[in-house]
């Protein structure tokens, strides 16, 4: 705990741009003060004069507001059950990346200022004074955690270190310390509705380009609409699905699936982002970005929302939405217009996951599928941390894969609730920390390498847009023989549509047709 952190190029993410912080601080309900030009490599971080009081006051407010935080500060017995469960510790070997010690960075300050034992016994009780050095530790290690919550699965007391990391980041933002790869997407999403800052007409054009691609491949042009009032369903997916590979093929899969069943749905060019980087900044930012989807659903008068393949989108909806913006009583309890299934699990959030929706269609025989169309794929499945651990979406994607592709599981201690993270979530999928990303992703890559060598796996499927981006980079480094795809891409490959003029697509939706 006495070893100071050392910042050098490559071991930290670039700090937030001044104009992005100023913009967010100007927004109602948000507080992102102390916008400035600074660098972690500098000795002087240009903190406010009363920065220490701001931090301690902020910690007190959060201890009073979040009962779970107070419990997590008090109940840890330092047993170390979490230590070798963290992919950052396994990949870096840095003791402060053990979840127990990462939480201790905050817990030591808590003891010093908020417990009698810490005030009397000081360092003997594990207490530390809040100093600039401690603040720098917070910045270093709160951004070497993807909040995947794997450690909490193995903690005998159920301590959620992800919640501790969230609090560390919130406290850092109080004095103007944040990273650009998170705050710029938050800024863009608040301003235009999506992480990339795409204007409505650009988002619309991108989807229409994908419609043309689907028509070229299948001979059938999907019917789509934007901002259409009175549609039965509002469909929202991560914006990455409509502008970057390999998410583009997942978005094409959505178009084919919805056309095959004749779904009455619409896209929104204003709520054009399912992802919520507010989860990685502050509760207030998370709430604000989540609210836009429901505001748009109310404006368009839809019955409910169908959501695409995304990780943190679903953690926010499943764990936080109701206490932040819900219940969404202006929407109806979701019912599949194709099968009549009532999604009781979405009775309050009024939002259904595409995997739940698709698995239900397959169960009721509403899709004509030809598994041989995925004969070029030998797949495995990556349980994305947030859908798997946060909302229990574990069996539905597997049920889908059983019906559309030949696939195998990775080792049992690397899947389902115990799944390893991609190593680059929570806004850490930025190139300036590439070595850290490759190290932290090693446990997942090792499991992929195992099934590739043992079973000939050549495709890693998942239901998360960030995973599709980060796992592609990870596999390119560790297991370049294995590609990455969304589950809905594999579904669309296998769908047989009435009236199609599809030829032999040797690579499914990825086949180049001229």
């Amino acid at each position: 705990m006495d070893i100071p952190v050392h910042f050098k190029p490559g071991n930290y993410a670039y700090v937030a741009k001044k104009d992005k912080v100023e913009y967010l601080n100007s927004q109602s309900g948000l507080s992102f003060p102390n916008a400035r030009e600074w660098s972690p490599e500098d000795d002087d971080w240009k903190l406010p004069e009363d920065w220490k009081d701001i931090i301690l006051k902020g910690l007190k407010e959060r201890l009073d507001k979040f009962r779970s935080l107070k419990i997590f500060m008090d109940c840890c017995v330092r047993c170390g059950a979490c230590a070798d469960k963290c992919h950052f510790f396994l990949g870096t070997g840095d003791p402060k990346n053990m979840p127990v010690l990462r939480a201790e960075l905050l817990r030591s300050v808590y003891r010093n200022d908020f417990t009698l034992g810490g005030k009397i016994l000081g360092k003997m009780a594990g207490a530390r004074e809040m100093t600039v050095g401690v603040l720098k530790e917070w910045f270093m290690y709160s951004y070497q955690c993807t909040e995947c919550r794997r450690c909490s699965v193995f903690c005998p007391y159920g301590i959620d270190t992800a919640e501790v990391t969230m609090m560390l980041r919130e406290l850092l933002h109080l004095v103007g310390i944040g990273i650009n790869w998170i705050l710029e997407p938050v800024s863009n999403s608040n301003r235009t509705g999506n992480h990339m800052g795409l204007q409505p007409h650009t988002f619309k054009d991108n989807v229409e380009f994908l419609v043309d691609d689907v028509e070229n491949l299948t001979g059938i042009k999907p019917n789509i609409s934007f901002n259409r009032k009175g549609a039965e369903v509002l469909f929202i997916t991560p914006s990455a699905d409509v502008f970057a590979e390999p998410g583009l093929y997942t978005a094409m899969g959505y178009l084919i699936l919805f056309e095959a069943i004749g779904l009455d749905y619409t896209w929104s060019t204003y709520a054009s982002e399912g992802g919520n980087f507010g989860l990685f900044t502050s509760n207030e930012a998370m709430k604000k970005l989540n609210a836009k989807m429901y505001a748009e659903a109310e404006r368009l008068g839809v019955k409910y929302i169908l959501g695409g393949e995304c990780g943190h989108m679903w953690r926010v909806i499943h764990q936080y939405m109701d206490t932040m913006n819900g219940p969404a009583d202006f929407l109806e309890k979701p019912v599949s217009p194709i099968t009549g299934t009532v999604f009781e699990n979405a009775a309050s959030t009024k939002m259904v996951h595409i995997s739940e929706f698709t698995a239900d269609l397959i169960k009721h025989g509403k899709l004509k599928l030809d598994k041989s169309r995925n004969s070029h794929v030998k797949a495995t499945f990556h349980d994305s941390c947030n859908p798997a651990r946060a909302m229990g979406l574990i069996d539905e994607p597997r049920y889908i894969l059983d019906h559309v592709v030949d696939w195998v599981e990775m080792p049992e201690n690397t899947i389902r609730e115990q799944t390893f993270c991609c190593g680059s979530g929570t806004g850490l999928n930025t190139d300036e920390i590439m070595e850290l990303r490759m190290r932290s992703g090693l446990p997942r890559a090792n499991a992929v390498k195992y099934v590739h060598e043992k079973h000939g796996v050549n495709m890693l499927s998942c239901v998360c847009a960030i995973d599709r981006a980060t796992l592609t980079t990870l596999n390119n480094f560790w297991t370049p023989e294995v590609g990455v795809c969304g589950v809905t891409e594999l579904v669309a490959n296998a769908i047989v549509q009435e009236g199609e003029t599809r030829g032999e697509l040797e690579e499914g939706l990825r086949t180049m047709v001229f």
Side-chain angles (χ1 to χ4, degrees):
M1 297 291 278
D2 296 326
I3 300 174
V5 295
H6 175 60
F7 293 93
K8 59 183 180 179
N11 78 344
Y12 66 88
Y14 296 152
V15 300
K17 297 174 183 175
K18 181 181 178 182
D19 63 314
K20 302 303 178 186
V21 179
E22 288 174 338
Y23 167 76
L24 287 172
N25 195 50
S26 71
Q27 300 302 296
S28 175
L30 300 183
S31 177
F32 288 87
N34 198 27
R36 68 209 184 282
E37 302 290 343
W38 66 287
S39 170
E41 295 183 52
D42 297 337
D43 290 333
D44 183 6
W45 281 18
K46 303 178 182 178
L47 300 170
E49 287 189 8
D50 58 342
W51 71 268
K52 182 176 177 180
D53 291 337
I54 293 172
I55 291 287
L56 294 178
K57 180 182 177 183
L59 178 55
K60 183 181 186 306
E61 289 176 351
R62 284 154 181 78
L63 289 168
D64 293 340
K65 184 177 182 181
F66 302 113
R67 183 175 60 177
S68 60
L69 179 62
K70 180 71 164 59
I71 293 172
F72 297 158
M73 291 295 98
D74 288 330
C75 74
C76 178
V77 296
R78 266 88 78 222
C79 68
C82 61
D84 62 345
K85 310 307 187 296
C86 175
H87 49 282
F88 276 94
F89 175 62
L90 292 174
T92 66
D94 187 336
K96 289 178 183 174
N97 272 327
M98 291 188 289
V100 58
L101 197 45
R102 185 184 294 111
E104 199 72 12
L105 300 179
L106 176 61
R107 193 177 286 118
S108 58
V109 173
Y110 161 75
R111 287 199 201 96
N112 188 73
D113 288 87
F114 298 96
T115 69
L116 181 60
K119 290 177 180 178
I120 295 174
L121 299 176
K123 192 173 182 179
M124 290 179 61
R128 289 196 304 172
E129 184 182 354
M130 188 70 216
T131 65
V132 171
V134 170
L135 192 75
K136 291 183 176 182
E137 279 185 325
W138 286 11
F139 179 65
M140 173 70 85
Y141 292 102
S142 65
Y143 289 98
Q144 290 189 41
C145 170
T146 50
E147 302 174 13
C148 79
R149 304 171 72 243
R150 190 172 194 263
C151 54
S152 66
V153 173
F154 297 91
C155 176
Y157 290 92
I159 295 172
D160 190 346
T161 307
E163 297 278 354
V164 178
T165 298
M166 290 167 66
M167 290 303 105
L168 280 171
R169 292 187 181 185
E170 277 202 24
L171 294 171
L172 289 170
H173 282 300
L174 296 179
V175 292
I177 299 175
I179 70 171
N180 199 66
W181 196 252
I182 293 177
L183 286 193
E184 185 157 345
V186 171
S187 172
N188 288 340
S189 194
N190 185 72
R191 181 170 53 87
T192 69
N194 58 74
H195 290 159
M196 290 300 294
L198 300 177
Q199 296 293 328
H201 63 279
T202 306
F203 182 84
K204 177 176 179 290
D205 287 346
N206 280 19
V207 177
E208 289 176 341
F209 290 148
L210 297 179
V211 168
D212 293 339
D213 289 339
V214 169
E215 184 179 16
N216 289 337
L217 290 168
T218 67
I220 295 178
K221 184 174 184 177
N223 292 304
I224 60 171
S225 64
F226 298 92
N227 308 321
R228 177 167 59 91
K229 292 187 176 182
E232 184 168 1
V233 173
L234 170 62
F235 178 65
I236 300 178
T237 195
S239 59
D241 284 349
V242 303
F243 72 81
E245 293 188 20
L248 290 172
Y249 306 113
T250 302
M252 291 166 66
Y254 302 144
L255 295 170
I256 292 173
L257 172 64
F258 298 156
E259 183 66 20
I261 62 175
L263 184 68
D264 178 19
Y265 77 106
T266 191
W267 299 72
S268 169
T269 59
Y270 301 104
S272 51
E273 178 64 68
N276 191 331
F277 271 35
L279 175 62
F280 316 142
T281 51
S282 71
N283 281 269
E284 288 72 24
M286 186 199 321
K287 176 179 180 178
K288 199 171 194 294
L289 297 185
N290 176 257
K292 74 181 187 301
M293 298 191 298
Y294 287 90
E296 186 68 346
E298 185 172 22
R299 184 183 77 87
L300 295 177
V302 300
K303 292 183 178 179
Y304 62 91
I305 306 172
L306 180 60
E309 296 182 4
C310 180
H312 49 291
M313 165 186 181
W314 285 102
R315 182 174 175 193
V316 172
I317 291 163
H318 188 73
Q319 291 195 314
Y320 302 112
M321 182 268 164
D322 257 2
T323 52
M324 286 181 167
N325 297 310
D329 292 335
F330 53 88
L331 297 174
E332 298 179 11
K333 183 187 296 185
V335 178
S336 172
I338 313 302
T339 67
T341 296
V342 180
F343 293 95
E344 295 288 351
N345 60 303
S348 186
T349 64
K350 311 298 194 297
M351 197 161 175
V352 178
H353 193 286
I354 187 69
S355 293
E356 299 171 309
F357 189 78
T358 304
D360 178 64
L361 292 172
I362 294 173
K363 180 180 179 181
H364 288 87
K366 299 300 182 180
L367 294 177
K368 186 176 181 181
L369 301 169
D370 181 356
K371 199 172 182 176
S372 69
R373 289 183 170 184
N374 276 314
S375 60
H376 61 289
V377 174
K378 183 63 178 286
T380 189
F381 180 67
H382 165 70
D383 288 281
S384 300
C385 301
N386 287 319
R389 274 191 284 266
M391 66 178 295
L393 190 78
I394 292 175
D395 293 322
E396 290 87 341
R398 289 174 165 80
Y399 182 83
I400 295 170
L401 292 174
D402 286 341
H403 289 81
V404 300
V405 71
D406 183 20
W407 74 289
V408 296
E409 291 274 21
M410 286 181 278
E412 63 179 351
N413 63 328
T414 71
I415 60 173
R416 294 180 173 264
E417 292 90 347
Q418 297 185 34
T419 184
F420 273 114
C421 179
C422 67
S424 305
T426 66
L428 301 187
N429 54 323
T430 180
D431 289 353
E432 62 264 25
I433 52 171
M434 188 60 74
E435 180 180 343
L436 175 65
R437 290 173 54 190
M438 296 303 100
R439 285 176 176 271
S440 60
L442 175 60
R444 169 47 75 219
N446 195 38
V448 174
K449 184 178 179 66
Y450 173 81
V451 290
H452 166 68
E453 293 178 346
K454 187 175 179 65
H455 301 288
V457 164
N458 63 7
M459 189 65 74
L460 177 60
S461 63
C462 61
V463 289
C464 176
I466 282 184
D467 280 338
R468 283 192 286 278
T470 60
L471 290 170
T472 297
T473 306
L474 188 71
N475 282 0
N476 285 343
F477 186 79
W478 292 110
T479 53
E481 305 87 356
V482 182
V484 179
C485 73
V487 168
T488 304
E489 176 187 342
L490 298 176
V491 172
N493 282 346
I495 286 178
V496 179
Q497 298 183 81
E498 184 177 347
E500 66 180 23
T501 58
R502 167 177 168 161
E504 290 295 326
L505 303 181
E506 295 182 356
E507 296 183 74
L509 298 182
R510 303 188 183 201
T511 305
M512 298 298 294
V513 177
F514 300 99

